[in-house]
Amino acid sequence: MSEYILAHDIGTSSDKAALVDYSGKIIASSTYPYPTYYPEPAWVEQNPEDYWQAVCETSRSVVAKAGIENSEIKGIVFSTQGQGVIPVAEDGTVLYPNITWVDGRAQKQAEHIMKRVGGKKLFTLFAGTPIMGKDCIAKITWLKEERPEIYRKTHLILDVNGYLKYKCTGRMVTELSGASSYGLDLKKKDWMSVFPLVGIDMNRLPPLVCSTDIVGGLTEKAASETGLLAGTPVFGGCDDVQAATVGSGMCEDGDIHIYLGTSAWVAACSRTADKFKHGAAAIQSADKEMNLIAGITESAGANIEWLKNQFFKKELAELGNGIYEYMDSVVENIPPGSDHLICTPWMLGERCPVSSTTTRATLFNMTMIHSREHIMRAMYEGIGYNLRWILENYQQDYGFKCDNFRIIGGGSLDKGWMQIIADITGKNFSVVKDPRNAGAVGAAMIAMIGLGVIPSFAATKEFVPVEFNYHPNPKNKAIYDKLFKDYKNVYHSLEKAYKTANSARFEGDEID
């Protein structure tokens, strides 16, 4: 009888479940989508019950596809989108939709919170970073102020991972990496003491567990709904950034990986770095002994999808899944630098390398020679400039070398885009095998570490194979160095204009 881990990667748009054997190979997988709701400007919500329905559907699907007995599954683990705010009653009833990580409704609360403790500078000194409308502490305050009847009924506030662990085991907890998206003291491994200072009841924050801990066994009810075996161990798991770190194999001090999917991030492991700088967050890694410096770009692959749907409708109808190969060929025909057209990727605002609720995407330097193909390449390049800016900050702020990193996520399968990123950053890097499933495999490896199958987090580097290596083309260095400076100038020149244009509507006070 074989042994497997069932890993669920709960992303922004779907659950990707993977049945992983003890060698790290995916035996079967299944995907189940769920909707996102945008009820107001800057509001982005999801129904937590949709997550659970997805887990039930995909769990049954992977077992059926693999043709195994459910007793062969030795652990269940979740890798989830971070920074969710899900208020639940004592009996587990969801009282309000998940206020997702992209939601920026609470900018007004963020400003008020910092004023209450002496202003932005003093708050930053105390908490390590100023907060914005997308941060959990501001969203919890929004619940308290704008939905007081919900807040009064709230027993605990769970993140997405905590909610799913509760559905599996009946136990309400928060794993350390998820807690660090709210506010975790990285040295004490406990909730930060800032919560009471801003009026948030600490009793509404769940007890903490580690990623490799067994939280409990699958309940009879959960087993019936998922088609799995009651009593199957459910592990602490972690947020998606931390799971992807493990799935990249880059878990040692100074190791860096980049994720390119719907969103993007640059993450660096560090035993000592614990400061928030230039929009990069110092958070808890899946490894209790390691911190993670994570700089998240809100929108990356989502921008490419937008371009496809808006500018390539005819080709999409004709080519179907072949549309991406066609778009790659289009990009190759445009010169590096897109004839000096710059496209900033900030469709949803930005966290890193700049923190802004009001910033939005901009096409800069448009002329009569530019075509939709230029816009396409400029979008690829704009995301590349954003990544270079983050890497530049990491070198200056933390002393990371930022070379020979790995890239994971679906975007890393686009070889043309990878070469653009190599040329823009001037860095050598690798793409791992099966990069689209790095999060699910990383989550599975966390469970394997918990079971003792893998000896340590450091051992994952040899566990994860590399498939492609990329090197910068020196011929493109001059143009990309020039346009990178221009790219940063676009932000600095328009920062005030973005605020003037968007502050009122993204704080919920839009003038009709």
Side-chain angles (χ1 to χ4, degrees):
M1 181 180 289
S2 299
E3 296 177 315
Y4 306 98
I5 301 297
L6 177 57
H8 290 273
D9 187 3
I10 309 291
T12 304
S13 58
S14 66
D15 170 23
K16 302 177 185 70
L19 191 68
V20 184
D21 69 14
Y22 280 8
S23 71
K25 181 181 178 182
I26 295 178
I27 305 302
S29 63
S30 179
T31 300
Y32 192 91
Y34 34 76
T36 302
Y37 304 97
Y38 305 88
E40 301 283 349
W43 292 29
V44 187
E45 298 177 350
Q46 289 180 327
N47 182 356
E49 284 295 335
D50 289 342
Y51 304 142
W52 181 241
Q53 181 182 355
V55 167
C56 294
E57 296 288 343
T58 57
S59 295
R60 290 181 179 275
S61 176
V62 295
V63 171
K65 285 181 179 180
I68 66 167
E69 298 294 328
N70 56 19
S71 59
E72 295 178 76
I73 296 175
K74 301 304 178 184
I76 301 167
V77 64
F78 298 100
S79 158
T80 61
Q81 54 175 289
Q83 295 182 302
V85 173
I86 306 172
V88 298
E90 193 167 1
D91 65 358
T93 301
V94 174
L95 300 173
Y96 195 84
N98 177 30
I99 305 175
T100 72
W101 65 282
V102 190
D103 190 294
R105 73 181 66 186
Q107 186 62 32
K108 187 184 299 182
Q109 283 72 25
E111 299 293 339
H112 289 169
I113 286 168
M114 290 187 288
K115 286 180 182 177
R116 286 183 62 176
V117 294
K120 185 175 180 179
K121 288 185 178 179
L122 186 60
F123 184 92
T124 302
L125 182 65
F126 185 82
T129 180
I131 60 172
M132 57 191 293
K134 296 187 176 185
D135 287 316
C136 295
I137 193 170
K139 292 172 185 175
I140 296 171
T141 304
W142 181 91
L143 270 176
K144 183 179 180 182
E145 294 177 353
E146 301 294 332
R147 299 293 186 273
E149 72 285 357
I150 297 295
Y151 188 79
R152 283 195 299 269
K153 295 177 183 177
T154 298
H155 172 57
L156 290 173
I157 295 172
L158 301 177
D159 60 3
V160 177
N161 208 317
Y163 172 75
L164 292 172
K165 287 196 289 284
Y166 165 72
K167 294 291 286 185
C168 284
T169 67
R171 186 181 172 198
M172 296 184 189
V173 297
T174 298
E175 182 269 336
L176 288 175
S177 74
S180 66
S181 295
Y182 280 60
L184 182 76
D185 188 315
L186 292 174
K187 294 179 180 178
K188 296 180 180 179
K189 307 302 180 188
D190 201 357
W191 294 109
M192 289 184 68
S193 55
V194 71
F195 286 98
L197 295 179
V198 299
I200 294 175
D201 183 3
M202 296 281 285
N203 291 327
R204 285 183 168 85
L205 302 176
L208 298 171
V209 297
C210 295
S211 67
T212 53
D213 287 346
I214 296 176
V215 173
L218 200 65
T219 65
E220 292 286 352
K221 184 176 186 296
S224 174
E225 293 176 358
T226 58
L228 303 175
L229 186 67
T232 304
V234 179
F235 288 84
C238 60
D239 281 359
D240 49 11
V241 177
Q242 287 86 345
T245 301
V246 181
S248 74
M250 302 297 277
C251 296
E252 295 186 269
D253 197 13
D255 283 351
I256 290 178
H257 83 274
I258 292 174
Y259 167 83
L260 279 176
T262 303
S263 59
W265 64 64
V266 182
C269 289
S270 177
R271 197 172 294 278
T272 56
D274 60 359
K275 302 298 182 186
F276 289 65
K277 296 181 179 179
H278 290 108
I283 57 179
Q284 175 65 48
S285 173
D287 181 355
K288 187 179 180 181
E289 304 304 318
M290 201 72 69
N291 296 335
L292 199 64
I293 304 300
I296 296 178
T297 289
E298 297 276 38
S299 191
N303 293 9
I304 308 304
E305 289 292 300
W306 177 83
L307 275 169
K308 177 194 73 176
N309 294 331
Q310 298 299 324
F311 291 91
F312 293 88
K313 290 181 179 179
K314 179 181 177 182
E315 291 83 356
L316 177 60
E318 293 174 354
L319 300 173
N321 291 334
I323 184 64
Y324 296 104
E325 185 177 348
Y326 173 78
M327 290 167 74
D328 280 349
S329 68
V330 164
V331 167
E332 289 178 2
N333 293 328
I334 302 299
S338 303
D339 288 314
H340 291 264
L341 180 66
I342 291 174
C343 182
T344 70
W346 308 313
M347 292 276 200
L348 299 171
E350 194 52 286
R351 286 185 179 272
C352 194
V354 293
S355 293
S356 173
T357 304
T358 56
T359 301
R360 287 299 181 270
T362 299
L363 272 175
F364 175 78
N365 234 14
M366 182 80 77
T367 69
M368 297 292 267
I369 70 168
H370 290 121
S371 63
R372 65 170 187 171
E373 288 78 12
H374 282 87
I375 296 173
M376 180 73 196
R377 183 173 183 112
M379 182 64 84
Y380 278 121
E381 291 174 336
I383 297 165
Y385 298 136
N386 227 48
L387 296 174
R388 174 171 171 174
W389 198 350
I390 297 172
L391 290 169
E392 182 183 82
N393 288 344
Y394 279 18
Q395 288 179 292
Q396 294 173 356
D397 295 338
Y398 303 103
F400 297 134
K401 292 182 179 178
C402 298
D403 205 355
N404 293 312
F405 49 82
R406 292 181 180 181
I407 297 187
I408 60 173
S412 67
L413 296 171
D414 187 326
K415 295 182 180 179
W417 195 8
M418 291 303 95
Q419 189 57 53
I420 288 172
I421 290 174
D423 292 349
I424 287 176
T425 62
K427 302 292 186 181
N428 302 301
F429 61 82
S430 305
V431 172
V432 305
K433 188 176 181 180
D434 197 14
R436 197 186 295 272
N437 291 310
V441 173
M445 287 194 286
I446 288 169
M448 291 182 211
I449 294 170
L451 291 170
V453 175
I454 298 176
S456 67
F457 283 95
T460 61
K461 184 171 289 186
E462 301 305 319
F463 198 81
V464 178
V466 165
E467 192 160 29
F468 298 106
N469 294 291
Y470 291 88
H471 309 283
N473 183 346
K475 294 180 180 179
N476 298 329
K477 177 176 170 39
I479 184 64
Y480 281 134
D481 283 352
K482 166 69 169 65
L483 290 179
F484 177 57
K485 293 178 182 178
D486 294 340
Y487 177 87
K488 290 193 289 185
N489 283 336
V490 169
Y491 172 78
H492 293 306
S493 299
L494 293 179
E495 182 181 9
K496 184 177 180 180
Y498 287 132
K499 289 180 180 178
T500 301
N502 296 323
S503 290
R505 68 190 184 115
F506 292 144
E507 288 177 3
D509 298 326
E510 185 175 13
I511 299 173
D512 294 330

